[in-house]
Amino acid sequence: MELAYIPSPSTGVIHLGPLPLRGYAFCIIIGVFVAVWYGNKRWVARGGKAGTVADIAVWAVPFGLVGGRLYHVITDYQLYFSEGENWVDAFKIWEGGLGIWGGIALGAVGAWIGCRRRGIPLPAWADALAPAVAFAQAIGRWGNWFNQELYGKKTDLPWALKITEGTNREAGLYHPTFLYESLWCIGVALLVIRADRRFKLGHGRAFALYVASYCVGRAWIEYMRVDEAHHVLGLRLNVWTSIVVFVLAVTYIVISARVRPGREEVVEPERSAKTAPVAADDAPGDDAPADVAADGVAGDADPADGDEKAEPDVDADAASADEESAKKG
């Protein structure tokens, strides 16, 4: 008897006249906005300029979307290029299918281009964005709920996800792996924030911590999924990818901590270049005109200076009085 379960939406599309609003795309868009907003706050807190994160995101987001789609199409090519399938569907990104590994990899290329144009170190920018990206993933995973996809094995748990009959899916109650991953990503974001505050992670180590932590969760969540996937030595391809990427991320953290300890003092050189002249102008300079300096000494003397000049006169009078007394004596 089904006492409790998570219902699935009856449709993943809402039509406003001729304009279709797709739940999957809506979740991705909200995730991007949250990542840019929170990433900007972290960037400014580290000494960067407001708006820089958005400027670089203009490069990173499109590259990331293309990379995520390419990874999905390549690793699940049979869905688009096998007999009876329509290869045009590979371009229908709104129907779902973004691989996080490809999104991160090609998104990093776009971010590198944006950072290079602004003269900003990519690792510092990535550190600021690390928890923001995890929050974006947590939101984006709900797009799978709208599409009724990427669920786990059958279960009778009270938080089971109810899937309706449809193309390539069987009605029933399944593990809501999209929800598991969404909650895991929130935990990863909080972990990175906490570790960054305590250890002052720099030079890309905060981002590497995000990657390693995400891989741990993705491995066991991926193991629960029942959708079609390629297997290598009995494990799903994405499980192997998680293991390899986890090892690389941890290796980077260890080596980076030894080679470049601490955190970058300047994350946006352009900001420092603009503020330096202002500080120099405000400081008492040696280049002030001589007459102004002379006027300041002659006319703006502190009252305390007058007292100091009067003291020698008092001492001289006292000395004269002592001499007269000595003569009389």
Side-chain angles (χ1 to χ4, degrees), residues 20-322:
L21 297 179
R22 304 183 183 276
Y24 185 87
F26 192 61
C27 291
I28 296 296
I29 293 172
I30 293 178
V32 170
F33 274 102
V34 169
V36 172
W37 168 76
Y38 186 60
N40 180 71
K41 289 188 64 175
R42 283 177 52 84
W43 181 252
V44 172
R46 290 197 58 182
K49 293 176 57 179
T52 296
V53 168
D55 292 342
I56 297 176
V58 170
W59 289 91
V61 172
F63 273 72
L65 291 175
V66 172
R69 187 60 176 177
L70 282 175
Y71 181 89
H72 167 72
V73 172
I74 292 173
T75 55
D76 291 308
Y77 61 88
Q78 73 280 358
L79 300 177
Y80 308 101
F81 302 105
S82 60
E83 185 177 354
E85 302 294 342
N86 187 0
W87 63 270
V88 177
D89 292 342
F91 296 95
K92 297 179 180 179
I93 191 173
W94 55 87
E95 293 183 353
L98 289 174
I100 183 62
W101 313 115
I104 294 294
L106 207 55
V109 174
W112 175 79
I113 295 174
C115 288
R116 186 176 178 82
R117 290 168 60 91
R118 295 292 296 266
I120 294 171
L122 175 61
W125 187 85
D127 283 341
L129 265 290
V133 172
F135 281 131
Q137 282 183 258
I139 297 171
R141 270 306 175 196
W142 284 85
N144 302 129
W145 177 66
F146 281 101
N147 286 351
Q148 295 195 49
E149 60 186 3
L150 305 187
Y151 43 85
K153 302 173 183 178
K154 288 190 175 182
T155 182
D156 57 357
L157 292 171
W159 57 83
L161 175 66
K162 186 173 185 178
I163 297 296
T164 59
E165 191 73 27
T167 305
N168 298 325
R169 66 173 186 254
E170 179 184 348
L173 297 177
Y174 299 87
H175 277 284
T177 51
F178 84 90
L179 178 60
Y180 298 160
E181 186 168 337
S182 179
L183 294 175
W184 184 269
C185 287
I186 293 175
V188 169
L190 297 177
L191 171 65
V192 174
I193 293 172
R194 173 85 176 184
D196 193 29
R197 287 176 179 173
R198 181 172 181 179
F199 301 107
K200 303 296 181 183
L201 301 175
H203 302 287
R205 288 188 288 277
F207 190 82
L209 176 61
Y210 145 70
V211 172
S213 303
Y214 172 75
C215 288
V216 173
R218 180 60 186 267
W220 68 266
I221 294 172
E222 183 75 21
Y223 186 76
M224 297 178 64
R225 283 167 47 173
V226 295
D227 53 300
E228 185 178 357
H230 295 287
H231 287 72
V232 178
L233 299 177
L235 293 178
R236 293 167 66 97
L237 177 61
N238 281 331
V239 174
W240 283 110
T241 305
S242 298
I243 294 174
V244 172
V245 175
F246 170 81
V247 172
L248 293 175
V250 172
T251 302
Y252 178 86
I253 292 175
V254 174
I255 296 177
S256 175
R258 293 179 179 178
V259 176
R260 307 186 70 182
R263 173 187 281 182
E264 301 92 338
E265 295 183 0
V266 178
V267 297
E268 194 159 1
E270 181 182 353
R271 181 185 179 95
S272 300
K274 288 182 178 180
T275 56
V278 175
D281 291 339
D282 292 339
D286 296 332
D287 297 333
D291 54 345
V292 175
D295 293 341
V297 172
D300 298 331
D302 188 69
D305 295 339
D307 295 338
E308 293 176 357
K309 291 179 180 179
E311 289 178 1
D313 296 338
V314 174
D315 294 339
D317 293 341
S320 300
D322 292 340

